[in-house]
Amino acid sequence: MEAALKTFFSSARFAVAGASSDTSKYGHKVFVWYLTHSLPATPLNPRAPSITVGAKSYDTVASPSALVDAQNTSLSIITPPAVTMALLKEAKEAGVPAVWLQPGSFDAEIIEYARKEFKAAIAGMDGGTWGDEGWCVLVDGERGLKTAHRHWERANI
C-alpha cells in the first residue's frame, strides 16, 4: 500500500467525488481535509454548481472528464457503490492515475476493477485504520502525505 500512497499523493492535483456543502457529510469533510493541507482540490458534484466551505464558495465539476488536468489529478471517491463503478470508468477514460475509495464507496467488484485499471487504488481493509471499513483520507491521509514526502525527498537528494 505504500507504493499506492506515494503514487496517489504525488499528483499535482486532487479531486473529491461526492463533495458537498453539507458539513455533516463525509464528502464535505474530505474536501476540507485537502484544503486544510493546502492541497489543490476540486469538488466533483453533478447536482451543484458550487459548494461552500466556511464563507468561501468553490466551483464544482460534474465529472472526472470535466477536470482541468485529469492525468495529473488523484481522485477521492465518496459515493455509494451504485455510483462508484460508473465514476471509476469515466475517471479511467479521462486518464486519472490514482483513486482513493473511501469507506462505504465500494464492494469487492469495485476494488478489483480499481486495482486493475489505475496506477494506484487505495481501498479495502489491508492496513487501513478506519475500523473494519478500510482506508480513509481523514484518518490515513497524514500517513500518505508523509510516505509521499519521504519518497520525494529521496528522489531529489
Side-chain angles (χ1 to χ4, degrees):
M1 196 55 72
E2 186 170 311
L5 289 167
K6 285 180 205 172
T7 300
F8 186 88
F9 282 111
S10 293
S11 287
R13 301 171 185 265
F14 301 88
V16 179
S20 166
S21 294
D22 184 340
T23 60
S24 70
K25 296 202 175 246
Y26 281 100
H28 180 84
K29 293 173 185 184
V30 170
F31 184 66
V32 168
W33 185 90
Y34 284 102
L35 297 177
T36 301
H37 288 84
S38 300
L39 297 169
T42 300
L44 265 73
N45 187 321
R47 293 179 303 221
S50 66
I51 66 165
T52 304
V53 175
K56 188 166 181 181
S57 181
Y58 296 86
D59 291 337
T60 64
V61 297
S63 66
S65 62
L67 289 166
V68 172
D69 188 14
Q71 297 82 11
N72 292 301
T73 302
S74 287
L75 177 62
S76 286
I77 299 176
I78 307 100
T79 58
V83 174
T84 300
M85 184 60 88
L87 190 65
L88 285 175
K89 288 179 179 178
E90 187 174 343
K92 171 69 175 159
E93 191 72 25
V96 169
V99 295
W100 189 313
L101 301 170
Q102 289 293 125
S105 69
F106 58 85
D107 57 25
E109 179 185 6
I110 289 169
I111 290 175
E112 182 180 339
Y113 177 85
R115 289 188 175 155
K116 178 181 171 203
E117 298 296 335
F118 293 89
K119 289 180 190 173
I122 302 165
M125 279 58 88
D126 51 346
T129 56
W130 189 258
D132 294 333
E133 296 183 42
W135 292 81
C136 176
V137 166
L138 301 174
V139 178
D140 301 301
E142 298 288 334
R143 175 179 168 188
L145 283 173
K146 288 177 186 171
T147 297
H149 184 70
R150 282 193 309 269
H151 173 72
W152 182 85
E153 284 178 336
R154 284 193 298 263
N156 291 295
I157 291 178

